[in-house]
C-alpha cells in the first residue's frame, strides 16, 4: 500500500469519526455524573409519557364504553353497565 493511499484511507477514517461525534461520546462516557443525570431525566420523561398516555387511553376507553351502553346492546350492554358502575364506585 502506498503512502498516498494510506493517508487517504486514514483521512476517510478520521472524517467518519468526526461525523459520528466520537470525541463527544468519549467525553460523555468519561463523566459518570452526566451519564446518571441524562439517564435520570430520560427515565422521568419516559415515566411521565407512560402515565400520560395511559390516562388518555383509559379515559378514551371509558368514553367508548359509555357510548356502547347508550345503544342498549342486549348481551354486552349489561356487563358494560356493571363495569362502569364499578369504575364510578372506585372513582368516588
Amino acid at each position: 500500500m502506498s503512502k498516498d493511499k494510506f493517508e487517504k484511507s486514514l483521512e476517510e477514517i478520521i472524517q467518519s469519526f468526526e461525523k459520528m461525534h466520537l470525541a463527544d461520546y468519549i467525553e460523555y462516557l468519561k463523566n459518570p455524573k452526566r451519564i446518571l443525570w441524562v439517564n435520570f431525566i430520560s427515565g422521568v420523561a419516559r415515566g411521565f409519557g407512560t402515565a400520560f398516555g395511559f390516562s388518555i387511553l383509559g379515559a378514551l376507553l371509558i368514553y367508548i364504553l359509555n357510548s356502547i351502553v347508550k345503544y342498549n346492546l342486549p348481551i354486552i350492554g349489561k356487563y358494560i353497565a356493571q363495569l362502569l358502575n364499578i369504575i364510578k364506585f372506585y372513582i368516588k
Side-chain angles (χ1 to χ4, degrees):
M1 183 181 259
S2 69
K3 188 175 181 180
D4 292 335
K5 286 184 180 180
F6 177 74
E7 287 178 359
K8 184 178 178 183
S9 62
L10 185 61
E11 185 66 34
E12 289 174 1
I13 292 171
I14 291 171
Q15 287 177 358
S16 66
F17 282 161
E18 287 176 359
K19 287 180 185 177
M20 293 187 319
H21 301 283
L22 188 65
D24 295 335
Y25 183 66
I26 291 172
E27 287 299 318
Y28 171 74
L29 291 178
K30 287 182 181 179
N31 190 352
K33 289 180 183 178
R34 183 164 182 220
I35 293 172
L36 288 173
W37 178 250
V38 168
N39 286 334
F40 173 74
I41 294 298
S42 66
V44 168
R46 201 172 293 120
F48 179 74
T50 301
F52 184 74
F54 184 74
S55 299
I56 296 296
L57 287 177
L60 185 64
L61 179 66
I62 291 173
Y63 177 77
I64 290 171
L65 289 175
N66 274 327
S67 298
I68 291 173
V69 168
K70 288 179 186 176
Y71 290 120
N72 283 332
L73 298 175
I75 298 172
I76 302 173
K78 274 195 288 185
Y79 296 113
I80 293 176
Q82 289 174 351
L83 178 65
L84 289 175
N85 287 335
I86 292 170
I87 291 172
K88 288 178 185 177
F89 175 75
Y90 282 108
I91 287 177
K92 293 179 184 181

